[in-house]
Amino acid sequence: MDEDKLRRIETKLDCISEALTELRSMWPHLCRRIDKLEVEIYGNDGKVGLITRVQSLYVLGAWIGAACGTVIGGGIVYLLFGK
């Protein structure tokens, strides 16, 4: 890349940064709500987020399913070959 392209990219990034700073100052209540939503979804400072809870339920369900499958499979094998 030549110097001109790099300068244009840098200028565009600076404009985006300024626009975000301006939006953040215009709507601070919206920014606080977004921050609260992020904490609720991802968790923060020892608080378990929604994603962690869903993953825990998924793992628990997989374990229960595996245990039930093992018991049912063992029962079928016993009924077929155990006698």
Side-chain angles (χ1 to χ4, degrees):
M1 292 183 117
D2 58 8
E3 291 292 322
D4 187 45
K5 284 184 180 180
L6 288 175
R7 269 193 220 104
R8 285 188 293 169
I9 290 172
E10 185 177 348
T11 304
K12 288 180 182 179
L13 287 175
D14 288 341
C15 290
I16 291 171
S17 177
E18 289 173 12
L20 286 175
T21 303
E22 184 179 328
L23 285 174
R24 199 177 248 304
S25 67
M26 286 172 52
W27 297 311
H29 64 283
L30 184 61
C31 294
R32 282 193 303 271
R33 291 180 72 182
I34 290 173
D35 290 340
K36 285 182 182 180
L37 183 61
E38 286 178 346
V39 168
E40 187 64 34
I41 291 174
Y42 298 111
N44 191 12
D45 295 333
K47 181 180 178 187
V48 177
L50 182 62
I51 289 177
T52 306
R53 286 184 241 160
V54 170
Q55 287 175 342
S56 299
L57 289 174
Y58 174 76
V59 169
L60 184 62
W63 287 349
I64 290 172
C68 290
T70 302
V71 169
I72 292 171
I76 291 173
V77 168
Y78 176 76
L79 289 175
L80 293 176
F81 302 113
K83 293 182 179 184

